[in-house]
Amino acid sequence: MAVMITNECINCGDCAPECPVAAILGENDEKNPYAGERFYVKPESCVECVGHADTPRCAQACPTEGSIVWDMPYTVDFEEYYMSANESGKYKIREHKKKGLMLPSVKAQPFAQEIGMNLRESNANVAV
């Protein structure tokens, strides 16, 4: 995942249509682990807009500071992070019928390498 929507989300919906890979689920989507509460970024789909824009387009569209923050890269190096967070319910990683759980070892995603790990670990606001 690379970016995450926090409980600061006001459910305005401005972020979802901006996502070039349709990685954002609405508050009422049954696949959203936070259904009824806030929007959700699918970690197995988010590409941080790498190859699409200079900064995540969802954060550019979001009117609420602190609603969209950095998360760990969706790479094999962080597979355990995502696996345990999926088991705890923080994420709801898609399960493919043939490939199984779509963890980074199945399909890693690109990420903005210039974003420091300190910003990711602290879930710093995606500044635009």
Side-chain angles (χ1 to χ4, degrees):
M1 167 184 289
V3 302
M4 171 174 36
I5 296 175
T6 70
N7 60 3
E8 297 295 318
C9 176
I10 60 170
N11 299 320
C12 69
D14 289 354
C15 59
E18 293 299 319
C19 184
V21 295
I24 301 175
L25 299 177
E27 67 173 312
N28 296 319
D29 192 303
E30 66 184 32
K31 296 177 183 175
N32 178 345
Y34 302 102
E37 297 174 30
R38 64 179 185 257
F39 280 60
Y40 169 73
V41 178
K42 299 184 291 186
E44 70 276 13
S45 299
C46 180
V47 297
E48 291 185 9
C49 289
V50 170
H52 299 275
D54 292 336
T55 59
R57 288 172 33 186
C58 58
Q60 290 176 341
C62 182
T64 310
E65 185 174 340
S67 184
I68 300 177
V69 299
W70 292 109
D71 199 0
M72 306 311 285
Y74 204 73
T75 63
V76 175
D77 292 341
F78 297 97
E79 180 132 348
E80 181 59 39
Y81 168 83
Y82 283 102
M83 188 177 341
S84 65
N86 186 65
E87 290 170 359
S88 74
K90 180 178 181 179
Y91 302 119
K92 193 172 184 180
I93 298 172
R94 181 172 69 94
E95 189 155 352
H96 188 275
K97 290 180 183 177
K98 294 181 181 178
K99 297 178 183 179
L101 202 58
M102 296 298 288
L103 289 166
S105 58
V106 176
K107 187 180 181 203
Q109 294 293 358
F111 65 98
Q113 296 181 11
E114 67 275 10
I115 304 302
M117 289 306 296
N118 58 330
L119 295 175
R120 292 179 181 281
E121 289 170 346
S122 67
N123 296 124
N125 189 42
V126 176
V128 292

